[in-house]
Amino acid sequence: MRGGAVDTARRVTAREKLYNFLEARAGGASSDELIGQLFSGRGSDPEIGSRLIHHLLADDPNFVRDGVGDRWALARDQALRIPADQAHYVVVDLETTGGRAGPGTIIEIGAYRMRGLRIEESFASLIRPCMRIPSFVSRLTSITNEMVADAPPIEDVLPRFRMFLGDAVMVAHNAQFDFGFLDCEFRRLFGIGLLNPVLCTLRLARRLLPSVRRKRLDALAEHFGLSTEGRHRGLGDARMAAELLAIFIESAVHLGIGRLDRLLEYQHQGSSQRRIERHVPPEVIAAIPREPGVYLMRNERGDLLYVGKAKRLRDRVASYFNGGMGLRPKVIELINHVHAIETRIARSSLEAALLEAQLIRELKPPYNRMLKSAPTAHFVRIDLRDEFPRLSLSPRLSNRPGLIQLGPFIGRRNPDHAVRALSRLLGLRTCTGKLEPSADVSPCIYGQMGHCAAPCNRSIDEDRYGAQARRAIEFMRGRSWPILSALAQARDRAAATMRFEEAARHKRDLEAVRILAIRNAQLSQAVSENNLVIVTGAEGNRAAYVVLGGRLACTREVDSPAARSEVAAFVAANYQRYRSSPIARDELDAMAIVSRWLRERDPDESRLIWLDGPRLEPASLSDGVVVL
């Protein structure tokens, strides 16, 4: 560095940058993390980063260094460097008129003040809102409009609550919800937001109890044997959260997280230990509707980073910021760059899935290629053009003519087991490639073990092998009982002769094949043989998706008699054409989306009209389910 003026300017800018970085880290950061904020990499000297940070910050009273682990923090956060089991907490629960923060939307505040693990004092007040309480909120909380008619307004209650809160750590279950409402009212009434440190028992539950599936407040209370009395009321929920907090503090101390600042930092880490940065305000997420649709995540410049779909948009988007998605390192990296979220509402999760695929194809967001978080789907297939067909498993649909494809199946384990069991039972080959049978060929190990009929060395001719392959084809087309019956009989014979290991193997095979058969029945027949109309949406906003030969043939609005007649005419004109025409490559993505949606769909969000021929009654698109 040359010249004192230039040197000073650079040092001031660097300090400001590090101050902003540490402002969100009560637990501090190491010299390596700080040097990473200033430069893309460290020099060849492994100690240069630590020396540079020390030279830059040692004389600045805004920064302090903790010799343990060479960590730097802001001087203002020194007060948080106390044992977590001795700190002051106020555990809060709010009841509100709905999910969106705004003036006069809080209807009850319940809170407990804690010193360490001990509850000391309570605060409770009903609040008269600026609007009527929706009926579903009254049913949930038992708070009626009559109960709050004479209650004080938030303008009278909040100053008393601010005195009760003081400078304690604010604690809540799903704290971003309660913080969003309180911060909104603090800004409106006091001109400054809620500045207290915030601790979330839901985040702590996700970090400390990864094996517990349900992490709602009442579910966690039942898990620990706590009382759930007063659920969905301010004091009742606050008491449960306070008792959970005491349990979590003890657990954290046993893990070596004994200081309050470290506990505050710990809640923001994903499973990879990386901190989750949040640039999207809680009130923005609270305003997202709980409807199907797609969400588009953008960075500070507005560049598109990621497109995703959701059955309930608000829940899915919120899960990125509260740890609900497991938070792999690349997901955390994505979240740390998200500054804005755009949503587009859809009539159904099917429409959302199709829209997501369209946007990804057109806009090519970078993180969609990096994350690929959806579990892989697999399809069971058999090729009718092969002289010696075999069952196989593939992660993608194919447009090759002559293929029967069944699926999708989420995960590989069970369908792979079922394919191997079916192949062994029917004597189908498992080897790949085209066979050229010859008596001189030595069968593979499966042929030698009797698991394959060994067409490769002419142990079975093409006609007899074809008869066995037809049993597999019948299974894929829905006639599963002969094979299930054969497996059950084999299991019972082995058990009767005390060949228990063989009986156990037949039992496992039967279970795997039975699950495959159930999936087959749920999805009609093979993917390319699905013919149906999917009706989604409510009256006045209804759409029909026509699936012919497994392909999404057309999508139409069907809110008028004329539109419904057009769909019926389309089915009549195209039913046979789609059954006989080859599948085009650009139809595969939509086929896979529709097949997967059929597997995962919520029956309440759609109606299925299965087609056995080209006739479709227009009235069935608006009235009850009709099978033709």
Side-chain angles (χ1 to χ4, degrees):
M1 290 183 282
R2 296 183 180 180
V6 175
D7 182 30
T8 301
R10 287 190 62 186
R11 292 176 68 177
V12 170
T13 301
R15 283 180 179 154
E16 290 176 345
K17 187 171 185 178
L18 296 180
Y19 189 96
N20 292 334
F21 179 70
L22 290 171
E23 197 170 19
R25 288 168 170 77
S30 67
S31 294
D32 283 347
E33 292 176 288
L34 297 183
I35 200 66
Q37 294 297 307
L38 301 180
F39 304 104
S40 57
R42 298 188 299 175
S44 57
D45 182 349
E47 297 181 357
I48 188 172
S50 180
R51 292 204 307 268
L52 177 60
I53 294 298
H54 190 274
H55 176 72
L56 191 64
L57 303 182
D59 297 329
D60 192 321
N62 290 307
F63 301 89
V64 293
R65 177 178 178 270
D66 184 348
V68 180
D70 187 29
R71 297 182 70 84
W72 291 83
L74 297 183
R76 71 171 196 186
D77 290 332
Q78 283 287 89
L80 301 176
R81 295 187 174 191
I82 58 175
D85 57 4
Q86 298 177 22
H88 289 247
Y89 305 94
V90 169
V91 186
V92 183
D93 184 81
L94 305 181
E95 303 302 334
T96 69
T97 57
R100 185 169 185 172
T105 53
I106 300 174
I107 59 176
E108 185 178 36
I109 297 178
Y112 284 97
R113 180 183 290 123
M114 297 178 66
R115 182 187 297 270
L117 310 183
R118 188 176 69 256
I119 294 176
E120 293 187 333
E121 191 178 355
S122 66
F123 177 99
S125 178
L126 288 171
I127 300 169
R128 186 173 71 249
C130 295
M131 63 200 73
R132 290 188 60 80
I133 301 174
S135 56
F136 78 91
V137 173
S138 290
R139 289 194 298 270
L140 180 68
T141 65
S142 74
I143 301 174
T144 64
N145 288 291
E146 291 73 23
M147 291 170 61
V148 298
D150 297 325
I154 188 67
E155 290 80 3
D156 293 344
V157 176
L158 201 60
R160 292 192 287 114
F161 176 72
R162 184 167 68 160
M163 292 292 293
F164 183 83
L165 178 62
D167 59 358
V169 177
M170 192 195 95
V171 183
H173 198 73
N174 191 18
Q176 65 178 10
F177 176 87
D178 301 83
F179 176 86
F181 280 85
L182 287 172
D183 186 66
C184 174
E185 295 290 18
F186 268 58
R187 293 178 185 277
R188 182 173 72 91
L189 300 179
F190 308 133
I192 188 170
L194 184 59
L195 301 180
N196 298 62
V198 178
L199 191 60
C200 179
T201 52
L202 177 60
R203 288 180 184 270
L204 290 176
R206 289 191 170 113
R207 298 290 287 115
L208 295 168
L209 304 171
S211 62
V212 177
R213 186 173 62 88
R214 296 166 59 239
K215 297 182 176 66
R216 296 196 318 269
L217 187 58
D218 52 352
L220 290 172
E222 291 173 0
H223 175 77
F224 288 108
L226 308 176
S227 171
T228 58
E229 184 180 355
R231 180 71 171 117
H232 294 305
R233 289 297 302 268
L235 272 184
D237 286 354
R239 177 188 47 77
M240 280 186 273
E243 293 173 347
L244 287 174
L245 175 65
I247 294 171
F248 292 157
I249 289 174
E250 288 185 332
S251 299
V253 170
H254 289 152
L255 292 175
I257 309 167
R259 255 175 31 189
L260 176 59
D261 58 340
R262 299 289 171 80
L263 184 62
L264 290 165
E265 184 73 11
Y266 178 71
Q267 68 174 330
H268 293 293
Q269 294 176 345
S271 57
S272 65
Q273 307 301 314
R274 291 185 57 183
R275 193 182 195 281
I276 306 163
E277 303 290 343
R278 182 179 190 133
H279 306 294
V280 180
E283 57 267 26
V284 171
I285 295 176
I288 296 175
R290 279 198 176 99
E291 296 182 49
V294 298
Y295 54 93
L296 297 84
M297 293 180 163
R298 300 183 182 276
N299 64 13
E300 194 171 10
R301 298 188 303 271
D303 302 327
L304 181 64
L305 300 176
Y306 183 76
V307 174
K309 67 179 184 301
K311 289 183 179 179
R312 289 172 290 277
L313 279 169
R314 187 197 306 167
D315 296 347
R316 172 62 63 83
V317 172
S319 70
Y320 283 97
F321 297 92
N322 60 24
M325 297 188 69
L327 298 180
R328 295 175 289 124
K330 287 186 178 179
V331 176
I332 295 176
E333 181 184 337
L334 165 64
I335 296 168
N336 290 349
H337 288 87
V338 173
H339 285 255
I341 298 174
E342 173 190 343
T343 59
R344 301 184 186 180
I345 305 301
R347 275 174 291 238
S348 66
S349 58
L350 174 58
E351 182 178 320
L354 293 167
L355 179 57
E356 177 200 39
Q358 175 189 336
L359 292 174
I360 291 173
R361 186 170 57 250
E362 294 175 354
L363 304 177
K364 298 179 174 58
Y367 278 88
N368 284 89
R369 295 192 301 272
M370 294 171 59
L371 296 179
K372 296 182 179 178
S373 58
T376 304
H378 290 84
F379 295 85
V380 178
R381 61 169 59 165
I382 189 168
D383 189 349
L384 301 183
R385 299 185 308 164
D386 194 332
E387 295 175 350
F388 298 94
R390 68 185 187 93
L391 289 168
S392 63
L393 202 62
S394 173
R396 61 183 65 87
L397 280 171
S398 171
N399 65 336
R400 200 166 72 243
L403 279 181
I404 295 180
Q405 301 172 96
L406 177 66
F409 301 95
I410 307 306
R412 183 183 178 92
R413 183 176 179 180
N414 187 78
D416 183 59
H417 186 170
V419 164
R420 287 187 284 108
L422 282 170
S423 299
R424 185 168 60 247
L425 177 68
L426 300 175
L428 302 183
R429 69 186 183 101
T430 58
C431 53
T432 60
K434 183 177 176 60
L435 281 189
E436 295 183 1
S438 169
D440 298 329
V441 171
S442 176
C444 67
I445 184 65
Y446 295 105
Q448 297 174 30
M449 294 169 60
H451 292 175
C452 170
C456 55
N457 74 342
R458 299 189 186 280
S459 295
I460 186 172
D461 60 34
E462 185 177 339
D463 289 340
R464 288 169 54 209
Y465 185 93
Q468 295 179 182
R470 280 193 291 276
R471 294 178 65 192
I473 294 169
E474 289 176 355
F475 176 88
M476 295 183 68
R477 286 179 168 163
R479 194 167 178 263
S480 59
W481 68 265
I483 288 177
L484 293 175
S485 177
L487 280 170
Q489 291 173 12
R491 176 202 59 194
D492 295 342
R493 284 195 301 270
T497 55
M498 293 192 295
R499 291 175 285 129
F500 297 118
E501 290 187 5
E502 182 182 343
R505 177 171 60 82
H506 287 311
K507 181 180 179 181
R508 291 192 297 270
D509 291 349
L510 177 62
E511 181 63 18
V513 174
R514 186 183 66 82
I515 292 174
L516 201 69
I518 290 172
R519 287 297 313 122
N520 193 357
Q522 289 174 343
L523 293 183
S524 179
Q525 302 178 34
V527 173
S528 58
E529 298 177 7
N530 276 334
N531 296 283
L532 70 153
V533 179
I534 302 167
V535 183
T536 65
E539 191 69 45
N541 189 27
R542 183 170 289 159
Y545 299 84
V546 179
V547 180
L548 299 176
R551 287 162 279 180
L552 184 59
C554 80
T555 303
R556 293 284 191 277
E557 304 279 347
V558 287
D559 285 320
S560 69
R564 293 190 282 270
S565 296
E566 286 179 11
V567 171
F570 178 89
V571 172
N574 292 277
Y575 185 84
Q576 293 299 335
R577 181 172 71 85
Y578 273 91
R579 284 168 57 89
S580 58
S581 62
I583 298 171
R585 182 164 296 277
D586 60 4
E587 295 176 316
L588 293 176
D589 284 347
M591 287 180 70
I593 289 171
V594 170
S595 297
R596 185 162 186 160
W597 178 85
L598 283 169
R599 178 192 186 279
E600 300 174 344
R601 77 183 186 95
D602 181 351
D604 294 334
E605 75 167 338
S606 62
R607 293 190 292 107
L608 306 183
I609 305 173
W610 296 99
L611 302 172
D612 287 337
R615 187 173 67 87
L616 171 68
E617 291 293 340
S620 67
L621 298 174
S622 60
D623 300 327
V625 178
V626 178
V627 180
L628 301 176

